[in-house]
């Protein structure tokens, strides 16, 4: 007979856990909760998500914060400081969301919980505290649920590891890869074990007096099911009938369906692998056929070509994505992370193997490289065109080859210097006694237009590293949206 196991040997198990919480972390976790934290948590929520059991979504609290704000703050602080929670706060609705296009079984759905905004505020305040220290506590191999980390990192590293195993066919040292099925692991957790371990860990970190709220939040809430077996059968039947209803949609409805479904489904794949150009063209063609009402083998007139429809609306288009360009923009994001997230496992793995002595922008493909590396390299040109160096100490920047002169045509030297030294770096143009440009050298070596542009570049009074920034937005950080525009520009230049 199956039964819940006993929580034996808990202390012995926890002795193997390394103590990593520093006094500074304890100070962050033990400091008093403030009204500002609670207000920030409320305004971080999506305003128009599904209403909660009380019928209110976050928009109500955000819109009328000047009326209900004090009551919300008092209720949340009462719980955080004393652990007293009004029973109605922990009422939860369970809703089943389909995981596939035409669900037919209960396993084809995933449950989500709709909690009251007050409860969500409490959990978000606690989560915001933990977010400040989690990156220092969680192993670099855990790439999901941590700010600045992406779950695709593990996909890329795993693919690279399998590629290395496939290539190693000689030698006495063997390697082994195991595929473990951890599906539904959360549902199989023994909560008695989790509670005991959680309490013991808090005691070990001397935090049990303040973070008891986490355990209270986990206590069994009052749960109601919003959908029953019969609202499920109707949903499944409606999904099966969805195909023939598509032809009844208006042009505007088809536009929304293409953008929200057809062009979004391959997004996860396109963030890791480069799709063949033939497949990209076929996906574009399928979207075009659906837009103009073509069903099966019948032919319909396409009144506008797809290239025009992919343009912005101010240019007469409908802003449909070109799959090939969007794929490159997604892959360029991985290249950007190889230039920025240098403490990630993804960076450590690919840096050591493919560009150990240079930056990503200088990296090249190798004959035996993996498919994911070739895919990432496909987006390199977008970064080369859209990035510019911000001068720090100048030791990384090549004078004649790199883009490092902002607000200057092409962000590079327009005219060749009077003398070109091998591997000439910007650091040699700086007078480090005064922390300013060596004006005499700059004016002697460069054309007047270039020299004036160089001398206008501000230099830091501190010895800082050179950094890359993205030219196409104010924050200087790469985004897929602007990377897509650069990819389209590259495509147009290639066609002309």
């Amino acid at each position: 007979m199956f039964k819940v196991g006993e929580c034996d040997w808990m202390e012995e198990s926890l002795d193997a856990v390394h103590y990593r919480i520093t006094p500074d972390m304890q100070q962050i976790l033990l400091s008093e909760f403030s009204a500002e934290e609670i207000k920030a948590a409320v305004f971080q929520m999506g305003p128009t998500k599904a209403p909660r059991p009380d019928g209110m979504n976050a928009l109500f609290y955000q819109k009328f914060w000047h009326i209900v704000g004090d009551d919300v703050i008092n209720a949340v602080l009462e719980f955080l400081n004393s652990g007293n929670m009004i029973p109605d706060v922990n009422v939860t609705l369970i809703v089943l969301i389909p995981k596939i296009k035409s669900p037919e079984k209960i396993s084809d759905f995933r449950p989500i919980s709709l909690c009251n905004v007050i409860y969500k505020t409490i959990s978000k305040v606690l989560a915001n505290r933990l977010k400040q220290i989690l990156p220092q506590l969680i192993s670099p191999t855990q790439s999901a649920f941590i700010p600045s980390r992406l779950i695709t990192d593990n996909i890329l590293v795993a693919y690279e590891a399998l590629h290395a195993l496939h290539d190693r066919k000689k030698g006495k040292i063997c390697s082994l890869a195991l595929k473990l099925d951890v599906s539904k692991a959360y549902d199989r957790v023994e909560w008695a074990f989790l509670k005991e371990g959680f309490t013991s860990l808090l005691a070990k970190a001397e935090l049990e007096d303040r973070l008891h709220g986490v355990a209270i939040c986990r206590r069994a809430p009052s749960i109601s099911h919003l959908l029953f077996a019969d609202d499920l059968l109707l949903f499944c039947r409606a999904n099966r009938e969805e195909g023939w209803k598509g032809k009844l949609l208006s042009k505007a409805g088809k536009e929304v369906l293409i953008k929200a479904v057809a062009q979004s489904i391959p997004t996860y794949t396109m963030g890791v692998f480069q799709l063949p150009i033939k497949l990209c063209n076929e996906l574009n063609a399928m979207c075009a056929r659906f837009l103009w009402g073509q069903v099966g083998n019948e032919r319909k007139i396409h009144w506008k070509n797809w290239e025009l429809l992919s343009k912005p609306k101010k240019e007469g288009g409908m802003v449909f994505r070109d799959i090939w360009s969007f794929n490159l923009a997604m892959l360029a994001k991985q290249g950007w992370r190889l230039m920025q997230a240098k403490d990630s496992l993804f960076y450590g793995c690919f840096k050591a193997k493919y560009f150990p002595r240079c930056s990503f922008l200088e990296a090249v493909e190798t004959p035996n490289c993996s498919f994911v590396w070739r895919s990432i390299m496909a987006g390199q040109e977008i970064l080369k065109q859209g990035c510019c160096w911000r001068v720090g100490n100048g030791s990384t920047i090549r004078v004649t080859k790199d883009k490092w002169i902002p607000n200057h045509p092409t962000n590079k030297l327009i005219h060749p210097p009077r003398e070109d030294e091998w591997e000439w770096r910007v650091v040699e143009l700086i007078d480090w006694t005064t922390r300013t440009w060596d004006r005499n050298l700059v004016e002697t070596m460069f054309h007047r237009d270039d020299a004036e542009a160089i001398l206008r570049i501000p230099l830091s009074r501190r010895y800082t590293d050179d950094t890359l920034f993205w030219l196409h937005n104010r924050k200087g950080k790469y985004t897929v949206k602007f990377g897509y525009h650069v990819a389209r520009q590259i495509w147009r230049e290639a066609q002309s």
Side-chain angles (χ1 to χ4, degrees):
M1 182 177 64
F2 294 101
K3 64 177 182 178
V4 176
E6 302 293 336
C7 299
D8 297 332
W9 310 103
M10 180 63 68
E11 293 299 328
E12 289 79 358
S13 299
L14 294 178
D15 287 340
V17 178
H18 297 289
Y19 188 82
R20 305 181 66 177
I21 296 181
T22 65
D24 290 338
M25 296 179 185
Q26 283 185 324
Q27 180 61 33
I28 292 173
L29 296 176
L30 294 175
S31 59
E32 292 293 328
F33 292 100
S34 65
E36 289 75 17
E37 285 182 281
I38 297 170
K39 181 179 179 180
V42 171
F43 282 82
Q44 286 173 356
M45 298 183 196
T48 57
K49 291 187 176 180
R52 275 46 181 172
D54 58 6
M56 304 293 185
N57 54 22
L59 179 62
F60 169 81
Y61 293 87
Q62 296 168 356
K63 184 70 174 179
F64 299 103
W65 185 255
H66 60 287
I67 299 175
V68 302
D70 290 340
D71 293 332
V72 173
I73 290 172
N74 292 334
V76 175
L77 287 178
E78 172 68 17
F79 169 77
L80 293 174
N81 292 328
S82 65
N84 297 325
M85 178 183 286
I86 302 172
D88 291 343
V89 170
N90 211 4
V91 173
T92 302
L93 295 178
I94 298 297
V95 181
L96 297 179
I97 303 298
K99 295 189 291 186
I100 61 176
K101 182 179 180 181
S102 300
E104 297 182 355
K105 302 178 294 184
I106 292 296
S107 60
D108 294 335
F109 294 84
R110 66 179 178 88
I112 64 169
S113 58
L114 302 180
C115 308
N116 283 310
V117 173
I118 300 296
Y119 180 92
K120 294 284 288 185
T121 302
I122 292 170
S123 61
K124 188 170 285 291
V125 169
L126 294 172
N128 287 342
R129 283 284 181 95
L130 291 173
K131 281 181 182 178
Q132 300 179 58
I133 66 170
L134 282 183
Q136 290 78 43
L137 299 179
I138 304 299
S139 168
T141 57
Q142 170 61 48
S143 61
F145 312 115
I146 305 296
S148 75
R149 302 186 191 179
L150 294 179
I151 196 170
T152 53
D153 286 6
N154 280 356
I155 299 175
L156 291 163
V157 172
Y159 195 97
E160 193 63 38
L162 291 175
H163 173 76
L165 289 177
H166 180 75
D167 280 355
R168 183 180 294 176
K169 298 179 179 179
K170 297 180 180 180
K172 297 181 179 179
I173 301 178
C174 300
S175 300
L176 175 69
L178 295 177
K179 179 183 178 182
L180 304 178
D181 183 8
V182 292
S183 63
K184 302 179 182 178
Y186 183 81
D187 298 331
R188 299 171 184 172
V189 171
E190 294 187 2
W191 293 112
F193 175 83
L194 182 63
K195 178 183 177 181
E196 184 71 21
F198 180 74
T199 304
S200 300
L201 283 175
L202 290 182
K204 188 174 182 179
E206 301 178 0
L207 298 172
E208 70 276 18
D209 292 336
R210 289 303 309 273
L211 290 184
H212 61 281
V214 178
I216 296 175
C217 286
R218 177 60 197 92
R219 289 176 184 170
S222 173
I223 297 177
S224 300
H225 297 276
L226 200 58
L227 293 178
F228 296 94
D230 292 340
D231 294 343
L232 290 180
L233 292 177
L234 289 175
F235 188 89
C236 294
R237 189 177 300 115
N239 271 270
R240 287 196 294 270
E241 296 171 354
E242 183 178 317
W244 66 267
K245 288 184 179 180
K247 63 183 179 182
L248 303 180
L249 292 173
S250 65
K251 284 290 187 294
K254 291 181 178 180
E255 175 188 353
V256 172
L257 194 61
I258 289 173
K259 292 178 179 178
V261 180
Q263 295 193 329
S264 298
I265 288 175
T267 298
Y268 200 79
T269 301
M270 290 191 294
V272 180
F273 303 108
Q274 183 183 18
L275 303 184
I277 185 66
K278 184 177 180 180
L279 175 59
C280 294
N281 292 336
E282 180 59 27
L283 291 174
N284 288 335
M286 290 172 61
C287 293
R289 289 195 294 269
F290 176 77
L291 178 67
W292 298 113
Q294 182 171 330
V295 179
N297 294 325
E298 66 174 331
R299 299 184 63 84
K300 295 285 186 177
I301 298 176
H302 294 206
W303 297 103
K304 299 289 184 180
N305 64 46
W306 192 254
E307 174 62 22
L308 177 61
L309 295 178
S310 299
K311 291 184 177 181
K313 290 187 177 180
K314 63 181 181 181
E315 298 178 17
M318 297 179 68
V319 205
F320 287 121
R321 291 175 184 165
D322 175 72
I323 299 294
W324 181 82
S325 300
F326 186 68
N327 188 191
L328 294 183
M330 293 286 291
L331 294 171
K333 182 179 179 180
Q334 301 294 356
W336 176 259
R337 297 193 71 249
L338 287 175
M339 298 189 298
Q340 302 293 326
K342 296 185 178 180
D343 57 346
S344 65
L345 179 66
F346 168 51
Y347 172 83
C349 174
F350 282 76
K351 170 72 173 177
K353 186 170 184 180
Y354 292 117
F355 55 105
R357 298 178 184 85
C358 63
S359 68
F360 171 73
L361 293 183
E362 302 171 78
V364 296
E365 289 187 17
T366 56
N368 60 341
C369 66
S370 65
F371 179 63
V372 291
W373 176 246
R374 290 199 301 272
S375 299
I376 295 173
M377 288 296 294
Q380 187 188 55
E381 186 59 32
I382 295 177
L383 297 176
K384 286 183 176 180
Q385 293 205 18
C387 288
C388 183
W389 282 100
R390 181 176 288 115
V391 179
N393 55 41
S395 61
T396 309
I397 308 171
R398 299 171 297 180
V399 174
T400 58
K401 297 180 181 179
D402 292 330
K403 300 171 69 172
W404 59 281
I405 311 177
N407 302 319
H408 198 53
T410 72
N411 302 115
K412 300 173 72 173
L413 295 174
I414 299 177
H415 308 278
R418 293 181 174 88
E419 295 182 16
D420 189 3
E421 301 181 14
W422 182 78
E423 284 296 309
W424 197 11
R425 304 282 171 162
V426 173
V427 65
E428 301 173 43
L429 305 178
I430 301 174
D431 183 352
W432 289 104
T433 58
T434 60
R435 302 278 180 170
T436 60
W437 293 106
D438 189 334
R439 177 177 290 271
N440 184 50
L441 177 61
V442 171
E443 292 178 342
T444 301
M445 296 297 295
F446 300 99
H447 186 275
R448 182 180 63 183
D449 295 338
D450 292 331
E452 291 177 355
I454 292 172
L455 294 174
R456 285 196 299 266
I457 300 174
L459 293 177
S460 174
R461 293 292 181 181
R462 297 179 292 111
Y463 193 85
T464 59
D465 293 332
D466 304 314
T467 56
L468 278 164
F469 68 96
W470 182 247
L471 288 165
H472 299 280
N473 60 26
R474 294 180 179 179
K475 294 183 178 180
K477 295 182 179 180
Y478 177 84
T479 61
V480 174
K481 176 182 177 180
F482 290 102
Y484 173 79
H485 295 317
V486 175
R488 295 299 295 154
Q489 180 181 349
I490 294 174
W491 185 86
R492 294 189 189 100
E493 292 174 354
Q495 298 300 311
S496 61

